[in-house]
Every structure is written in C-alpha cells, then in structure tokens.
C-alpha cells in the first residue's frame, strides 16, 4: 500500500472488513457466505476479492490513492463510488485525487445527483414467457417530482438472465433452473418497460416509492452503478430478479427480505416484505401507485358502459368508421364514454393485430379520435383502482390437510403442499384470473392401508383468456400444459401413473369477469407402464365461476380416448371458500370410474 495509507490502523481495517454492510457491497448475501454472488472479475480489485473482504478492502483503499488515468471513468473511485461513500465515513480521504462528483459516467447515471426517490416496480405475471410466470421486479430512479406517470424518461434498472436469441424453450427452462445462464443488471428508460409490459404484454404495474434518506438513496444509486454489466449466475427459483433486488435494498436498510429456509424467492414475496418493512421509525414504502395495462383500461371502460352503450361500441367495432355517425348518438356524456372506449379498444387491438392489420386499425382509431374532438373535452373519471394488489394478497405457498372418501374404500386423510403459486380457484389479479401456475404441488394420503402419493405436479400452467368484451380482436386462445403423476383411480390401492398433457381451446366470459366457460381439445400420456396404451386425446369443458369475493367454483368434464379404444370419463366439481386472507376451505366431488368426494382446510404461507 502507498505510504499515504500507513495512517490507517490495520486493526481498524480488519474490523471494518467484517462489517455486514461492507460484505453486502461486495455481494456477500449473508454472514455465512464465503463467496460473493458477483462472479465478474472486473468487480474486484483484489485477485482474492470474491472470497476475501479484507483483501478487497485493502486493494480498494490502495486503488483510491492511485493517480488519475486518462479516462477518469477507469479510476477506482469512479468504478466503485458506493465503496468510496461507505469508506469515507470511516477514513479521511482528503488526499485522494478523484471524487465521485468528478466521474463522468457515474454522474451521468446518477442524473447529476438529481435522483429524488427510488421505487420498486412490480409487473404482474405473464404466462407467455416462463421467466415471467411469477411476475417481475424493477428498480426505478425518479427525478421529476410526484407525478410518476409523467416521468417516463426516468431510469429503470432491470436484473435478468442473458439468453441467446432463438434459444430452444426446453433448453431455456433447463438452463434457467440449473444455473446455465449468466445474468446481470441493465438500465434504460422507464418508458421502454412501461410500453413493453403494459402495452405489449398487457401486464399491470405497481409502483412502491421508498422513503429512503438522502444518504441511503445516494449509496444505493452508487451501488447500482457498480453492479451494471457485472455477471452473476442465474437460477430461476432462487437467484432471480426478486432475490437480487431484495439484496440490493438490504445493502442500505440492513433488513432481510428473503426467507433463507425456502429454496425459492418470488417477486410477490419481496413486495410484501418490502411493503411491511420498518425503516427509521416509519414504513419503508411511502406511496403506492397502480399503472393499469392497456387491456385493464379497456376492460374498466367497458364495464362502466350501459347496455345500449355496449351495443353501440359493438356496432362501431364491427362496422368501422362508416357507422360512427349512426352509432355515436344520444347524450353527449354517453357519446364520450362510447368514443373513449373505442379509443382504448383500437389501441388494444394494435397489440394483438397482425402487421397487415395495423394500418386499418390505425385508420379506425384516427376516425374515432376526430369524432371525439368534435365534443367538449373531459368526461367521466375512469375508476382504475387496482384489484388484488400484490402487497395485500395472500402468500404464494399453500399447505392443506383434508379427508376424502368414496364407496368401497375406507376414508383417507390427505396432506397437500404447493410451494408456488396459484390455481384456478385462488388466482389473484385480472391478468391471471381463473388461470393456474403450480410447480412442485404434491398430495399424499394416509389410511388403513398405509400412505401413498396421490398426485405430483411437476409443472402445471393453464392460461384462461377471458375475452371479456367479445369485440373483434379480444378473442385470445386459452391453453394448458401439465407434467407429473397421479393415481389412475380412487378405487385402486396403488396405481400411480405418469401423466403429461397439453391442450388448446377457447374461452368466453359473457361480458362479465365473474364467469368464464372454456372448451379444450388436447392429448397426452397417462399410464402405469411405458407402452403405447397410455397415449390419449381428450376433449373437455370447464366452467369457472366467481360467486363472490370469497367463493369460487369450478366444474370440469373431460373424456380421455386412449390408443386402444379405451376411454375414461372424468367429471369434477370444486369449491373454494376464503376464510381469511391466509386460510381457505375446499370441497370437491369427482366421478372417475367411481365417485368420491373430499374436503380440506388450507393455509397460505
């Protein structure tokens, strides 16, 4: 070390190198961690820095006193401004040749110190991409005052896996689960993410503005700069965006937002932990804002229309601009509601339309816009209160105990554990209503004849497109995919069979978000042996009905036609009653060879 560093007591350096905030700045996630989560060699100034916080501190102090390079961005202070800010609380750095304020790259990223606040952004789940099934988290750097919706040029920080173009889906899933990808932080304009999530993928966003002090906010921004483009190893379940962003906030708050006893970390868990966290005598979150997707805005407007107004919207959507004069009639306020709905509708159509359809949709949108300009500005305020806010929702993991019974067999007790995430009876939020996303769902039964595995779901995904308006273009296809094993019959003592299936279909919600009827045609494999007899095709019908905010029903009928002309029919009725936010009661009746029924009490954790 240079002679100018001899003033620093080695014992003080040793003590500081053991402090948890220093270790977290280096990417050590816990006191027990022996290796930093950051794998990029460029993140460390010592060759042993990834494993030795003391050597990294010595190397950092030494590098801070090095002479200024031709490009100031290459100086250690400019590369690691958060380390400088933290160490400057403990050491006198008056003789250091560079300060963070002189670093061009860092000052540009930090908006010249004009970051007024920092927000956690939650994007709801998206079943079109496995990496986004559970939702996604971003960090936003705000500088334009309180009106967050008008500040789209702010900076957004994203953490994600680095995936090659055109990666095979099965390879993508396998490598994502087993750590086959590098990952890292990137930054770009917030507008890009609001457009991609809210307009293209039709996902609602929730913004949680944090009440960080000036010093903590500055330290967090500086640490983000240090982490940009530094590689991590990505694991889909527990070293994902949720985990890394939680670790990011832990650097400045000292609070732990993950549960070390769980092998998975989900975005909603982090949102709930952050929202419920204390910070300097108050809550960490100071305000919450809901940013609805294009689809949510359309559906909200459509729900506010009366029967005659909906009819006018349908006529205009089917017949186009030539029909505007005869369909846009009545009181001026009613005309405004119809035209505003059509404006949202045509913008929504552009998201799902084929390229050759876009010019016609844009022409119709312009015609409606010109007709709207003929009326007075303003109109009825649209109620866009978010439903099922992620911070208020139930936890994502589920445990239940129950009893099932049927003719010719003794009753059996059941235990079910579902690590994540939801099924068609408890799915929360507009974007995934009546859908299913479950992984590692296991049910075991116990009775006079011993215990047995009733059902194992490795993965089950069911996407129900409600198509609420019934307008042209609002008719997405539903689909389901499942892989696992289950008992072939309740009357069988032990006939566990491997099962995998996929199906595609169509759903209709009859203009209401409370009931949806779906029809599917699919096929798969279901057998206790590996012979061709297990292959089947299956038509099925499914009705989902939300009777109230606490009671959901699902009725299912399917008929499996097997390879050698055997067939098996299944009819099932499920009911769920929400007792509290974290508990429920479930009942079912099923007829598959024989009829049986069951009930269970569940707890979300």
């Amino acid at each position: 070390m240079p002679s100018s560093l001899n003033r620093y007591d080695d014992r003080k350096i040793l003590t500081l190198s053991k402090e948890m905030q220093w270790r977290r700045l280096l990417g050590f996630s816990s006191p027990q961690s022996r290796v930093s989560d950051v794998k990029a060699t460029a993140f460390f100034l010592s060759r042993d820095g990834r494993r030795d916080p003391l050597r990294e501190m010595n190397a950092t102090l030494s590098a801070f006193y090095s002479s200024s390079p031709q490009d100031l961005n290459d100086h250690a202070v400019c590369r690691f401004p958060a380390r400088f800010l933290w160490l400057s609380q403990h050491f006198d750095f008056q003789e250091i040749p560079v300060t963070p304020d002189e670093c061009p790259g860092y000052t540009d990223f930090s908006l010249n110190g004009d970051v007024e606040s920092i927000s956690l952004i939650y994007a709801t789940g998206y079943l079109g991409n496995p990496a986004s099934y559970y939702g996604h988290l971003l960090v936003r750097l705000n500088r334009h005052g309180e009106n967050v919706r008008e500040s789209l040029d702010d900076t957004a920080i994203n953490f994600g896996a680095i995936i090659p173009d055109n990666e095979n889906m099965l390879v993508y899933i396998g490598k994502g689960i087993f750590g086959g990808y590098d990952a890292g932080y990137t930054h770009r304009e917030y507008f890009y993410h609001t457009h991609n999530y809210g307009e293209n993928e039709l996902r609602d966003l929730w913004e949680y503005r944090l009440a960080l002090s000036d010093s903590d906010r500055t330290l967090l921004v500086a640490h983000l700069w240090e982490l940009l483009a530094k590689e991590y190893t990505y694991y889909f379940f527990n070293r994902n965006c949720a985990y890394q962003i939680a670790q990011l906030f832990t650097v400045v708050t000292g609070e732990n937002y993950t549960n070390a006893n769980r092998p998975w970390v989900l975005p909603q868990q982090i949102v709930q932990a952050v929202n419920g966290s204390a910070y300097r005598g108050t809550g960490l979150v100071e305000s919450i804002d809901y940013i609805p997707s294009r689809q949510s805005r359309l559906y909200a407007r459509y729900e506010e229309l009366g029967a005659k107004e909906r009819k006018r919207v349908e006529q205009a959507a089917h017949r186009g601009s030539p029909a505007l004069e005869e369909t846009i009639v009545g009181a001026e306020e009613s005309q405004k509601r119809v035209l505003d709905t059509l404006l949202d509708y045509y913008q929504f159509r552009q998201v799902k339309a084929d390229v050759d359809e876009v010019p016609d949709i844009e022409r119709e949108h312009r015609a409606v816009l010109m007709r709207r300009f003929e009326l007075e500005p303003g109109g009825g305020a649209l109620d866009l209160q978010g439903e099922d806010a992620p911070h208020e929702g139930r936890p994502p993991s589920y445990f239940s105990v129950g009893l099932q019974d049927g003719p010719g067999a003794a009753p059996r007790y059941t235990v079910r554990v579902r690590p994540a995430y939801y099924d068609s009876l408890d799915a929360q939020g507009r974007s995934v209503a009546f859908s299913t996303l479950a992984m590692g769902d296991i049910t075991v039964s116990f009775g006079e004849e011993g215990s047995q595995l009733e059902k194992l779901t490795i993965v089950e995904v069911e996407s129900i497109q409600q198509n609420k308006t019934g307008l042209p273009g609002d008719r997405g296809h539903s689909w389901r995919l499942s892989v696992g094993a289950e008992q072939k019959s309740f009357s069988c003592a032990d006939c566990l069979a491997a099962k995998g299936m996929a199906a595609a279909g169509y759903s209709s919600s009859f203009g209401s978000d409370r009931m949806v009827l779906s029809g599917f045609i699919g096929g798969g494999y279901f057998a206790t042996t590996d012979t061709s007899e297990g292959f089947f095709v299956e038509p099925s019908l499914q009705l989902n009905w939300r009777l109230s905010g606490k009671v959901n029903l699902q009725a299912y009928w399917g008929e499996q036609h097997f390879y050698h002309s055997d067939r098996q029919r299944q009819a099932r009725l499920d009911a769920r009653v929400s007792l509290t936010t974290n508990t429920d009661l479930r009942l079912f009746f099923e007829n598959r060879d024989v009829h049986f029924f069951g009930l269970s009490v569940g707890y979300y954790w």
Side-chain angles (χ1 to χ4, degrees):
M1 296 173 67
S3 58
S4 58
L5 294 184
N6 291 337
R7 74 186 74 175
Y8 301 140
D9 189 324
D10 288 344
R11 288 174 297 179
K12 181 177 181 179
I13 294 176
L14 176 62
T15 299
L16 289 174
S17 71
K18 295 179 180 179
E19 288 201 12
M20 199 58 223
Q21 192 167 28
W22 171 253
R23 290 173 58 87
R24 286 177 176 136
L25 284 171
L26 300 183
F28 292 85
S29 57
S30 72
Q32 295 76 34
S33 299
R34 295 187 177 185
V35 180
S36 168
D37 287 342
V38 185
K39 61 187 290 186
T41 56
F43 186 69
F44 302 99
L45 293 168
S46 167
R47 183 172 56 186
D48 302 316
R50 193 181 179 201
R51 290 175 172 80
D52 193 330
L54 173 60
R55 291 191 178 185
E56 186 63 18
M57 180 174 286
N58 280 320
T60 300
L61 289 169
S62 178
F64 281 175
Y65 281 92
S66 64
S67 58
S68 301
Q70 185 173 1
D71 184 353
L72 278 181
N73 288 319
D74 293 332
H75 194 275
V77 170
C78 297
R79 291 170 58 195
F80 302 105
R83 298 187 194 182
F84 177 89
L85 292 172
W86 190 83
L87 288 168
S88 65
Q89 300 173 32
H90 306 282
F91 298 110
D92 180 5
F93 282 159
Q94 291 184 0
E95 298 179 14
I96 283 182
V98 181
T99 64
D101 293 340
E102 302 173 76
C103 304
Y106 168 62
T107 55
D108 182 59
F109 171 78
S110 63
L111 309 177
N112 293 309
D114 194 30
V115 176
E116 182 184 74
S117 64
I118 294 176
S119 297
L120 172 65
I121 307 294
Y122 174 80
T124 56
Y126 174 56
L127 296 181
N129 180 354
S132 299
Y133 280 172
Y134 298 107
H136 189 64
L137 297 182
L138 303 166
V139 175
R140 177 179 176 182
L141 309 183
N142 308 304
R143 65 173 174 181
H144 290 300
E146 295 299 323
N147 196 340
V148 295
R149 296 191 187 186
E150 295 181 2
S151 308
L152 298 180
D153 60 337
D154 286 341
T155 300
I157 311 297
N158 180 53
F159 182 90
I162 303 170
I163 302 169
D165 293 336
N166 303 315
E167 184 79 298
N168 177 274
M169 181 61 71
L170 293 178
V171 173
Y172 171 47
I173 294 173
K175 292 175 70 173
I177 292 174
F178 296 107
Y181 292 120
D182 285 341
Y185 287 97
T186 57
H187 75 292
R188 64 186 309 166
E189 296 85 355
Y190 180 59
F191 169 80
Y192 168 82
H193 294 289
T194 59
H195 182 78
N196 183 50
Y197 293 142
E199 304 296 323
N200 294 339
E201 297 180 354
L202 305 177
R203 302 163 69 177
D204 293 339
L205 301 178
W206 291 83
E207 176 159 4
Y208 298 83
R209 185 170 289 206
L210 307 182
L212 295 175
S213 66
D214 291 345
S215 59
D216 283 346
R217 185 170 63 249
T218 301
L219 181 65
L220 185 56
V221 173
H223 188 46
L224 279 167
W225 168 253
E226 297 174 346
L227 295 175
L228 288 178
K230 304 301 189 296
E231 295 89 359
Y232 294 72
T233 298
Y234 181 84
Y235 291 93
F236 177 77
F237 290 113
N238 60 7
R239 290 296 185 271
N240 49 26
C241 70
Y243 174 85
Q244 297 299 348
I245 287 177
Q247 295 300 313
L248 192 67
F249 293 152
T250 299
V251 168
V252 295
T253 67
E255 297 291 329
N256 188 7
Y257 303 108
T258 61
N259 187 334
N261 296 322
R262 295 186 182 183
W264 60 86
V265 182
L266 303 178
Q268 186 181 0
Q269 289 176 301
I270 303 306
V271 168
Q272 292 173 342
V274 168
N275 186 67
S277 175
Y279 175 77
R280 299 197 175 193
T282 185
L284 178 58
V285 174
E286 67 178 13
S287 65
I288 301 172
D289 192 40
Y290 168 61
I291 303 99
S293 69
R294 175 65 62 189
Q295 185 179 55
S296 292
R297 292 195 294 273
L298 169 62
Y299 286 175
R301 288 197 185 278
Y302 190 80
E303 288 174 2
E304 292 187 352
L305 299 177
K308 291 183 178 179
E309 292 170 336
R310 291 188 181 187
K311 188 67 174 178
R312 292 169 189 155
V313 168
E314 292 168 6
Q315 290 174 344
H318 281 92
R319 296 167 58 190
S321 52
L324 284 179
E325 290 305 318
E326 56 185 280
T327 56
I328 308 304
V329 295
E332 182 167 312
E333 290 304 313
S334 177
Q335 293 184 42
K336 290 179 182 179
R337 287 193 294 271
V338 171
L339 289 168
D340 289 343
T341 302
L342 285 170
L343 288 173
D344 273 329
Y345 164 67
Y346 284 119
Q347 289 178 308
F348 166 75
R349 280 288 311 275
Q350 292 183 46
V351 176
K352 292 189 173 185
D354 295 331
V355 175
D356 57 349
E357 296 178 307
V358 171
D360 291 338
I361 295 172
E362 291 178 339
R363 184 181 64 251
E364 297 297 333
H365 180 265
R366 286 194 298 270
V368 173
L369 188 62
M370 295 303 296
R371 182 69 177 84
R372 181 65 176 86
F373 283 153
E374 297 176 8
L375 304 179
E376 292 293 324
L382 182 62
D383 181 14
L384 285 173
Q385 298 298 316
E387 294 183 357
D388 300 313
H391 60 281
E392 296 176 343
R394 55 168 180 74
S397 301
Y398 183 70
F399 169 83
S400 70
V401 293
L403 175 71
Q404 64 182 30
D405 195 9
R412 298 185 65 83
Y413 299 97
T414 61
V415 175
R416 178 187 179 190
V417 178
R418 186 186 71 201
Y421 190 27
Y422 54 82
D423 57 40
S424 57
L425 293 174
D426 63 13
Q428 300 179 111
R430 288 190 182 97
S431 62
V432 296
F434 305 126
S435 296
T436 296
L437 174 57
M439 293 186 181
D441 193 345
I442 184 170
T443 301
V444 178
S445 69
F446 305 87
E448 294 179 355
E449 299 177 354
S451 62
Q452 69 178 23
L453 176 63
E454 291 289 336
K455 185 175 182 180
L456 168 64
T457 299
I458 298 174
V459 60
E460 181 178 7
V461 185
E462 182 177 62
S463 177
I464 300 295
Q465 299 292 327
Q466 295 187 67
N467 313 316
K468 186 181 299 184
T469 67
L471 299 173
D474 187 21
R475 295 192 176 99
H477 295 288
S478 298
W479 57 273
R480 65 162 64 108
L481 170 70
S482 66
V483 178
E486 65 180 87
Q487 298 292 332
K488 289 207 70 174
S489 172
F490 181 77
S491 60
C492 179
D494 187 8
C495 50
L496 187 68
K499 184 177 183 180
M501 70 163 299
Y506 178 78
S507 302
S508 178
S509 60
F510 309 105
S512 168
D513 62 356
R514 291 187 173 275
M515 181 184 294
V516 58
L517 177 65
S518 306
F520 292 92
I521 182 70
Y525 186 85
F526 189 25
T528 56
T529 65
D530 59 357
T531 65
S532 61
E533 295 179 358
F535 291 103
F536 68 88
V537 295
E538 179 185 26
S540 62
L541 292 173
Q542 180 173 299
L543 176 68
N544 294 88
W545 188 8
R546 182 183 300 166
L547 275 71
S548 69
K550 292 184 175 294
V551 181
N552 285 349
L553 295 179
Q554 177 177 284
Y556 177 88
W557 175 90
E559 186 171 87
Q560 296 170 344
H561 295 260
F562 287 89
Y563 180 71
H564 288 296
S565 300
D566 293 336
R567 66 181 181 179
Q568 184 180 55
R569 290 179 179 172
Q570 179 184 8
R572 182 177 173 112
L573 178 65
D574 287 270
R576 174 183 181 268
V577 180
S578 175
L579 303 177
T580 67
T581 300
N582 292 350
T583 60
D584 70 5
L585 173 69
R586 298 192 182 212
L587 304 96
F588 76 86
F589 175 84
E590 182 171 343
N591 190 342
R592 186 176 58 188
D593 293 337
V594 297
H595 64 269
F596 59 104
F597 62 91
L599 61 86
S600 63
V601 177
Y603 175 73
Y604 294 91
W605 52 285

